[in-house]
Amino acid sequence: MLRRRFLRHLTAPGCTRGPVGGFPPTAGRGERTQPGLGELDKMKTSTPTQNLMSPLRIGDIELDVPVVLAPMAGITNTAFRRLCREYGAGLYVSEMITSRALVERTPESMRLITHHESEKTRSIQLYGVDPKTVSEAVTMLVAEDRADHIDLNFGCPVPKVTRKGGGAALPWKITLFREIVEAAVKAAGDIPLTVKMRKGIDSDHLTYLEAGRVAEGAGVAAIALHARTAADYYSGQADWSAIATLKNAITSVPVLGNGDIWSAADALRMVEETGCDGVVVGRGCLGRPWLFGDLAAAFRGDVLKAEPTLGQVADAFRRHAELLTEFFDSEERACRDVRKHVAWYFKGYPVGGDLRASLASVVSLEQLDELLATMDPDQPYPGIGAEGQRGRAGSPKKTSLPERWLDSRDIAGAERSNLTEGEGDTSGG
C-alpha cells in the first residue's frame, strides 16, 4: 500500500517523477545502482496524516505542493534547483541577484538568471535599494521573457547588504519600501511578484506588519516571512507566532512561513500553528535535497521520511557535482563549489576525517568517484545524527546600518542617493 501511494505521489501534477525510490541513479560511477521497488520500504517510513492542503496559488502559478525553495546565495543555482526538483515539487527560486548588475548585464548576473530547459517555472529573486533600478530590472526580465515569477528580497541580514540600507534593513524606510514594491509590481505586469522579508531590524524596530500591509496594497502575489529579525541572524528559534500574526493581518494574498523547517513534520507543524498558506525552506535542505520529496508526500497526506543509506547520499552528492559541472561549464570550478556541501551531505554518517578532508579538496570528477568508491554504500541511515539544524546559526548581533538610519522612517534626498552604491555586487547575499 505504501509503495502504491508513493508512486501516485511521484506522478501527481506538479511533481516531477524521479527515479524509483526518490533517489537519483548513479551518475557514471557504476559501483552502485539506483534503488529498486523492493528497497523502497527500507528507505522510507510512513505515518498517515490529515494535514492535506489546497493548492497554493501565486498569481497564475498553481502549486499543488505549497513549498518554496528559499533563495540562498552561492547555493540555489540552476544545478541545486534541478537536483531538488528530481526529488520533489514546489517553486524553486534563484540566488539573490542585484538589480543594478542585472540592468548593466554583467556576465555573472546574466549567467545566474539562466534557467535549464527543464525548469518550467522560472523564478528569480532580485535585490535592490533604488525603485528606478529595480523597476528596470523587472522590466528587462519581463520584456525578454526570462522569468515566470519574480521575488524581491527584503530579508537578507548580511552586513554588506544591511550597512547599505538593503535587505532586512530596507523596510524600516517604509516610504522607500512602498516605492520599490509599487514600481516592481507595475513593471511586472501579469508576472506574479512576491516579497520575502524578516520581522524587522531587531526587537525594538519591527517592520513586518506594516511592510506586509504595504506590500499587499501594492498588489504583490504573496508575502513570505522569515520569522527572525536581522539582529537574530540565524540564531535561536524562529518566532513562528509572528507568521501567525502576519497571516491574520493579510487577507487577500497567501502568506508563507520560513524559519526552522528541518523536516516535513516541522512544515506541517508550522502550518498548523500559524495558519500560513505554504512554507519556504532554506537551510533545512542543505545536503538533503530529498527533503522536498518528504515535503511533497507530507502535504499530500503521507509523511514519507527519507532514510538514505550512505551509498544513496554519495550518489546524490555525485549528481550535484555533475549538475554543477554543467552549470559552470567547468569541472574544476564545479568541484571547488561542491566542496562546501561535504559536511552537509555526510552529516552523521561514518565518514572519517581524512576522507572528508579529501572530499573538501577534490579537483575532478574522476577523483571524486575514486573517493566515493571507498565508502561502504550499505551503511544505514544514522538517524538523529543526520537530522536537525544545518548551516551555521551564529549568534545575535547588532545589525550594520547606514549612519543615522533609525532616526526616521522616511528617507532624505541625500540619504537616498547614497544608497545606490549598495547595488554594486552581482549577488547581494
Side-chain angles (χ1 to χ4, degrees), residues 107-126:
E108 184 68 4
S109 66
M110 298 304 292
R111 187 175 63 81
L112 287 174
I113 65 169
T114 300
H115 288 77
H116 187 263
E117 61 184 9
S118 65
E119 297 185 88
K120 302 305 181 184
T121 303
R122 301 160 301 169
S123 179
I124 293 175
Q125 188 187 66
L126 295 177

Side-chain angles (χ1 to χ4, degrees), residues 344-406:
W344 297 328
Y345 273 99
F346 299 105
K347 182 178 187 291
Y349 287 86
V351 178
D354 290 344
L355 180 53
R356 288 174 184 264
S358 296
L359 288 169
S361 58
V362 68
V363 296
S364 70
L365 294 182
E366 181 179 5
Q367 181 190 14
L368 178 60
D369 289 342
E370 292 173 354
L371 293 170
L372 295 179
T374 66
M375 295 180 179
D376 177 3
D378 298 322
Q379 282 289 335
Y381 183 69
I384 194 170
E387 299 174 2
Q389 183 168 300
R390 314 179 85 77
R392 295 180 179 178
S395 57
K397 61 190 71 177
K398 184 176 181 180
T399 305
S400 298
L401 298 169
E403 186 177 0
R404 304 180 66 85
W405 186 254
L406 298 177

